[in-house]
Amino acid sequence: MEHGALTPGSLLGNEIELAARLGLSRPTVRQAIQSLVDKGLLVRRRGVGTQVVHSQVKRPLELSSLYDDLESAGQRPATKVIVNTVVPASAEVAAALGVAEDSDVHRIERLRLAHGEPMAYLCNFLPPALLDLDTAQLEATGLYRLMRAAGITLHSARQTIGARAATATEAERLAEEEGAPLLTMQRVTFDDTGRAVEYGTHMYRPSRYSFEFQLLVRS
Amino acid sequence: MEHGALTPGSLLGNEIELAARLGLSRPTVRQAIQSLVDKGLLVRRRGVGTQVVHSQVKRPLELSSLYDDLESAGQRPATKVIVNTVVPASAEVAAALGVAEDSDVHRIERLRLAHGEPMAYLCNFLPPALLDLDTAQLEATGLYRLMRAAGITLHSARQTIGARAATATEAERLAEEEGAPLLTMQRVTFDDTGRAVEYGTHMYRPSRYSFEFQLLVRS
């Protein structure tokens, strides 16, 4: 497989498919996959699947889109837009986006599903007049892709990852129990002019999603 | 402050200290800090404090030591070694470290405190004969610092961040309730020869710690 046709990022089928395709027994396939995971040639990502690694132990963290990650992994992402409106910026949102408190900002809330199962609840705030936020488009693709299509060049982001207990509302949205642990991510994304173009507060079901990345020691 | 004496990474005192030092009112100091946070010149890190940013929106994620982070932030880290022993490698540990199943590996479990309060429970497995793991030394400093002192050059790491509910034992160790959300991190660290030198499975109290980092979009 080291010299085979699998390109970085491509998703391995499941064991049954692979066994049938390669004419091998399922335990043999399982053992082969484990040995490639051990060697660092494959990586298992919860919620995504077993993937060929992009480049061995050399990949710094990148700004990625959950939608794109799921789609390229064949996880059939879907989005349900729950809220798409304009609201006055709270102090927190104003500080994150660098706009005046109480000024108009876009607010969108989306439920992200994979294979029809809720995976994450995504709340985003965007400065006004940045791009059209059409509900149908938001349900058809990812936010970053819409931003790029609107001519925005994403440059960098500041991210915080934490955990907390689900409120009753959050639990219902994500098909979890109230008080169940959720993985949380807050992110402010900047474009190439240094302007904040998006502030997101996202909640993920930890049984369906985790953050995985590689990092390098700087000498 | 843009041209002042605060160097990147240095920790701001609390509002009361700062107000006294600068001869300003506390609300004025609070407002000044918020405006510097908004500008991206300061960053608030839960469990660490308010710090001067290292370089503006340009810092990729680095392999860092919780002990060093806490110490440089004046958070008075302390470590209590709970387990320091040699065990046969489980399948999971053997796969992570690239050693034979059931072969001897070091196992250490440490409770990490900040200002006397539990912050994290750290479980690490290390290959045998890599370095002396002296309990007194483990309580006096961080594991990465001991590894560097033993001549190991840390090169890269593969990290997974997730969340889950605390078991009764974990809850007791971390002064949480059973079922409370915990932030989890698994990490395999590699040296400059590509050898796995450490496999850690860590649990953090989300009220006391979160992962914060900046990332750049690669063009």
Side-chain angles (χ1 to χ4, degrees), chain B residues 1 26 185 195:
Chain B
M1 231 180 248
R26 213 174 143 191
M185 193 259 277
R195 174 180 57 162

mmCIF file of all heavy atoms in Angstrom, chain B residues 1 26 185 195:
data_model
loop_
_atom_site.group_PDB
_atom_site.id
_atom_site.type_symbol
_atom_site.label_atom_id
_atom_site.label_comp_id
_atom_site.label_asym_id
_atom_site.label_seq_id
_atom_site.Cartn_x
_atom_site.Cartn_y
_atom_site.Cartn_z
ATOM 1 N N MET B 1 1.109 51.149 25.962
ATOM 2 C CA MET B 1 1.607 49.810 26.236
ATOM 3 C C MET B 1 2.215 49.164 24.985
ATOM 4 O O MET B 1 3.030 48.272 25.059
ATOM 5 C CB MET B 1 0.468 48.918 26.751
ATOM 6 C CG MET B 1 0.825 48.191 28.051
ATOM 7 S SD MET B 1 -0.519 47.160 28.600
ATOM 8 C CE MET B 1 -1.021 48.012 30.087
ATOM 9 N N ARG B 26 -9.851 51.055 39.025
ATOM 10 C CA ARG B 26 -10.006 49.689 38.554
ATOM 11 C C ARG B 26 -10.865 49.605 37.283
ATOM 12 O O ARG B 26 -10.513 48.861 36.365
ATOM 13 C CB ARG B 26 -10.616 48.843 39.679
ATOM 14 C CG ARG B 26 -10.101 47.436 39.627
ATOM 15 C CD ARG B 26 -10.574 46.630 40.810
ATOM 16 N NE ARG B 26 -10.858 45.278 40.390
ATOM 17 C CZ ARG B 26 -11.492 44.380 41.133
ATOM 18 N NH1 ARG B 26 -11.913 44.711 42.340
ATOM 19 N NH2 ARG B 26 -11.706 43.176 40.682
ATOM 20 N N MET B 185 -7.344 14.886 26.297
ATOM 21 C CA MET B 185 -6.331 15.019 25.252
ATOM 22 C C MET B 185 -5.492 13.754 25.218
ATOM 23 O O MET B 185 -5.060 13.272 26.259
ATOM 24 C CB MET B 185 -5.428 16.224 25.523
ATOM 25 C CG MET B 185 -4.570 16.598 24.330
ATOM 26 S SD MET B 185 -2.890 16.021 24.492
ATOM 27 C CE MET B 185 -2.185 17.331 25.499
ATOM 28 N N ARG B 195 11.086 8.174 16.639
ATOM 29 C CA ARG B 195 10.660 7.211 17.653
ATOM 30 C C ARG B 195 9.603 7.824 18.572
ATOM 31 O O ARG B 195 9.731 8.981 18.974
ATOM 32 C CB ARG B 195 11.910 6.850 18.463
ATOM 33 C CG ARG B 195 11.701 5.973 19.669
ATOM 34 C CD ARG B 195 13.042 5.710 20.350
ATOM 35 N NE ARG B 195 13.734 6.949 20.745
ATOM 36 C CZ ARG B 195 14.725 7.000 21.635
ATOM 37 N NH1 ARG B 195 15.163 5.888 22.187
ATOM 38 N NH2 ARG B 195 15.288 8.151 21.953
#
